[in-house]
C-alpha cells in the first residue's frame, strides 16, 4: 500500500498529528470523569469513540 508508510496496515493517524484537532472538535481532549470521580483515559471516552466512528465513515 503506497499510502501506508509504516507497512502495518494503518492509515497513519498519529497522536499529536491529525487526531489532536479532531479530539478537540469531538470533545475527546476535555477531561472526562466516571461516576466515582476518576478520570477516564482520553482514548477510552465516548467522545473518542464518536471520533473513531466518524473517521471510519470518512475513509
Amino acid at each position: 500500500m503506497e499510502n501506508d508508510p509504516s507497512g502495518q496496515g494503518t492509515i497513519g493517524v498519529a497522536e499529536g498529528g491529525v487526531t489532536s484537532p479532531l479530539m478537540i472538535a469531538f470533545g475527546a481532549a476535555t477531561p472526562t470523569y466516571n461516576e466515582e470521580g476518576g478520570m477516564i483515559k482520553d482514548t477510552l471516552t465516548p467522545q473518542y469513540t464518536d471520533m473513531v466512528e466518524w473517521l471510519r465513515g470518512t475513509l
Side-chain angles (χ1 to χ4, degrees):
M1 295 173 56
E2 64 185 59
N3 292 330
D4 180 19
S6 70
Q8 299 176 3
T10 60
I11 61 167
V13 176
E15 188 154 344
V18 174
T19 57
S20 290
L22 289 175
M23 287 180 66
I24 293 167
F26 280 88
T30 303
T32 304
Y33 301 91
N34 63 18
E35 301 83 32
E36 298 166 346
M39 188 182 296
I40 302 171
K41 179 157 176 56
D42 59 355
T43 57
L44 300 175
T45 63
Q47 302 93 310
Y48 193 87
T49 301
D50 291 343
M51 181 187 76
V52 171
E53 288 176 353
W54 181 82
L55 278 169
R56 289 187 66 171
T58 62
L59 298 176

